[in-house]
Amino acid sequence: ILDLSKDYMMILTGSFVAPTLTVMLLQGQIPSSMFLTITKQWIKRGGNGNGSDYRTIHYLGAGVITFSLFLAFIPVISLWIEGANAFGCNTLIYFLSCIPASASMLYKEQALTDYRQPMDPNMLNLNVDIYQLLLLIPLTPIMMKVQSLNFFSNETTAPSGTIIEGLQCFFSPKEQEPFFSHGKYIWPS
């Protein structure tokens, strides 16, 4: 469920986030994972000790990434103040997708290390993917409706427009290519 929620958070908002920001925002998973790991270890130790097995260089790297994320959010905040609410909200939701991604990674790590029987990491990922698929199938119509409700943009979208246009692009013959005009892909008639 964590991987699925991360995927939906990224898919629904990703097309409204600047491409250069998507690369930077995905790096937010590193400090997020460190924070969740430190918190988990601190709770496991009963609040005693520093709760971490990380070295100073790890903290330095996470600090550099956190600082760069702060710098990346400065233009987003300025656009948000100017009234581009959809851009700011989408960027924030895209960034917050790092939390379920980090939690999922920690659960997988715990499954691989804490159980007495050896577990094949490929089988673990296969099981996670199968459950994602089983949850994705009934949720797809709901997400198509969510896209049409304009939570993630200021423009009007026909119901299920993005998914249907994506399928058209994937299955269209090579001679029928969409062209980009005024911020949208347009299909020739």
Side-chain angles (χ1 to χ4, degrees), residues 176-189:
Q176 186 184 11
E177 294 287 331
F179 58 92
F180 194 76
S181 175
H182 298 10
K184 290 185 143 191
Y185 283 100
I186 299 174
W187 289 90
S189 345

Side-chain angles (χ1 to χ4, degrees), residues 130-145:
I130 288 171
Y131 286 114
Q132 277 183 323
L133 179 66
L134 293 176
L135 287 170
L136 181 70
I137 291 170
L139 289 177
T140 299
I142 297 168
M143 286 300 124
M144 290 174 72
K145 183 65 177 167

Side-chain angles (χ1 to χ4, degrees), residues 6 16 77 115 172:
K6 181 246 337 171
F16 304 108
I77 292 170
Y115 292 107
S172 69

Side-chain angles (χ1 to χ4, degrees), residues 31-141:
S32 175
S33 297
M34 281 185 68
F35 176 75
L36 290 176
T37 302
I38 291 168
T39 304
K40 177 185 151 199
Q41 290 174 351
W42 186 75
I43 291 170
K44 196 175 194 180
R45 294 177 182 164
N48 298 327
N50 67 354
S52 173
D53 295 328
Y54 291 112
R55 295 188 206 152
T56 305
I57 194 76
H58 296 130
Y59 289 111
L60 182 64
V64 168
I65 291 172
T66 304
F67 181 69
S68 63
L69 288 169
F70 173 75
L71 292 178
F73 266 101
I74 291 174
V76 173
I77 292 170
S78 66
L79 286 172
W80 203 338
I81 291 170
E82 292 174 6
N85 294 336
F87 179 73
C89 288
N90 288 316
T91 304
L92 183 62
I93 292 170
Y94 193 90
F95 172 67
L96 291 177
S97 71
C98 291
I99 295 171
S102 299
S104 172
M105 183 189 71
L106 288 178
Y107 279 124
K108 288 177 189 174
E109 179 182 322
Q110 184 175 358
L112 290 172
T113 59
D114 289 354
Y115 292 107
R116 301 211 181 269
Q117 296 177 354
M119 184 180 290
D120 182 17
N122 295 325
M123 284 302 293
L124 176 65
N125 282 329
L126 176 66
N127 286 327
V128 168
D129 291 340
I130 288 171
Y131 286 114
Q132 277 183 323
L133 179 66
L134 293 176
L135 287 170
L136 181 70
I137 291 170
L139 289 177
T140 299

